[in-house]
Amino acid sequence: MSAALFNTLKKVPVPLFGSAATAAAFGARKAASIPRFAPWALPLGAGALWFVWPAVDEEWKATTFGSSAPAPEEKKVELSPEAIEKVEKAYVVEEKELTAEEKAVVKAVAGGDFSLLEKEWDAFQVKASVPGDGDDDDDDEDDDEEAYVDDNGKTEDPLMKGGAGGMPNEDSGWKQVHGDVFRAPYLLPVVAAILGTGWQLLALTLGVILFAVAGPLHGEVHEDRGEMQHAVLFCYCFSSIVSGYTSGSYFKMYNATKTVGRGKSTSAGGSQWQLTMFLTVMMLPTVFVSILSILNGIALVYQTVNYIPFLVIVKVFLIWMILSVPLCVVGTLAGRHANVSGADFPCRVNAIARPIPEEVPFHGKPLNLIPFAGLLSFGSIFIELYYVLTSLWNYKVYHVYGFLLAVYAILTVVVSMTTIIVVYFCLNAENYLWQWTALASGGSTAAYVFLYGIYYFMFKTSMTGFLQTMFYFGYMTLISLTLGTISGTIGHFAASKFVRTIFGNVKVD
């Protein structure tokens, strides 16, 4: 009987699987692979707890786990005898005797005669319609403009308070920072250099991908593995003018707001211009040369074929000096004389910076939102990232460049949307330091790419030894930093357009 029932249950139709037996077999195979993901349980649990725990109600924490902090002592305020006397008198109702006219009105109303009351009302209306000393409108306006001091010594306007008896202020949240949102970011030359490098990498990757997609027009790139390296070198050199122009124009635009209210000329900062140009030229080559020099030294010690000969290094250095550096300098000078300025901003920057509130909601803190922006961006590319890493480390030919271009477009959209959301939440918490937040929101994708690289190294490769480990993580560091810079630049561009749009519609007196 039980065997027949079991056979009947196995034949029960299940959507997508056909029968219950097929579904059970599929579930058993998947369950067998669960132990492989056990090492990820601890970091995932810690990350979830790190995100959820601050949002848990403090009263529930104290009730469930007990409060480790001592209860605050109640402060007793002793009143002076004069204050006690004033408080007692404040609640004493003084009995006032009615005048003869008021007694007559009360007696007439009690008898059902309202003529005297109507006469008093007509007289009051006539008096109220004529402005004069008896008009209380001016006193009401003064009362509206007066502020009061709360128990903490902070001055507040009654109309700015919500709740009973108060009217909420319409210009709350992000509208409050219209005078600071276009203030120059901290370390302006560094931000300008990062954005210039990011736009150069954007042009470089897009040019290389389009070159690979157009393979049938100039010969199959798979037949000559050196064609892609030549395309990368060519695109990098000629995209240097993009990095120079972007960093120069960005620095000029925000440098005018950097010195507002400090008694300096807005055209000051010649040394900052040179620093911006130097960082733009040297930032990316310094990182790449540092890591590749270490890997090349290790390859030389182990005498492997991955060693780059000295003559090749000299040739690449000359190409960089003759082409890349001059183009970057020319681009920076063009950006410095570009037709952009701080006057193009929708809102004027105040002379004195507005203080940023410290007590903000959980979703108003950039550090709580940035990791999730990077996670969503990584989720849009991790499948294609697997095939790229497989082509790189398992020596397989990568040929789906059209699909790679589509993933590139998807990454652009996802990074833009997530960065805009993060910036909006921060602006709504009256935090106007959105430039670094936008860069970090998009750039946080690099952290997840590197973590995925660790997973790929542990479970998808058979690499062992110091040489293979150093080469793998050296190149993964370069890949992560490059992708993080590109994503951060995309996020900053989208956030800049968003901020200009919303503050362009704000009416400021």
Side-chain angles (χ1 to χ4, degrees), residues 373-383 385 411 414 445 448-449 452:
L375 181 61
L376 291 175
S377 303
F378 171 74
S380 65
I381 64 169
F382 82 97
I383 295 178
L385 181 63
L411 175 66
V414 174
T445 309
Y448 293 98
V449 171
Y452 181 79

Side-chain angles (χ1 to χ4, degrees), residues 28 39 233-234 299 346 354 366 442 481:
L233 189 61
F234 177 86
R354 176 189 179 90
L481 291 176

Side-chain angles (χ1 to χ4, degrees), residues 8-76:
T8 304
L9 292 175
K10 289 200 300 184
K11 297 178 181 179
V12 173
V14 176
L16 300 179
F17 294 99
S19 65
T22 307
F26 177 80
R29 287 197 303 269
K30 292 300 179 182
S33 62
I34 291 178
R36 292 191 305 166
F37 302 97
W40 293 93
L42 182 59
L44 288 176
L49 183 63
W50 169 81
F51 175 69
V52 174
W53 185 254
V56 178
D57 184 56
E58 295 294 337
E59 184 178 353
W60 181 85
K61 292 180 185 178
T63 305
T64 307
F65 301 100
S67 177
S68 57
E73 297 180 0
E74 296 183 359
K75 295 182 179 180
K76 296 182 180 180

Side-chain angles (χ1 to χ4, degrees), residues 193 272-283 286 328 332:
Q272 296 291 311
W273 273 110
Q274 290 142 13
L275 177 61
T276 302
M277 183 186 301
F278 175 78
L279 290 175
T280 306
V281 172
M282 297 298 298
M283 182 176 289
T286 301
C328 187
T332 305

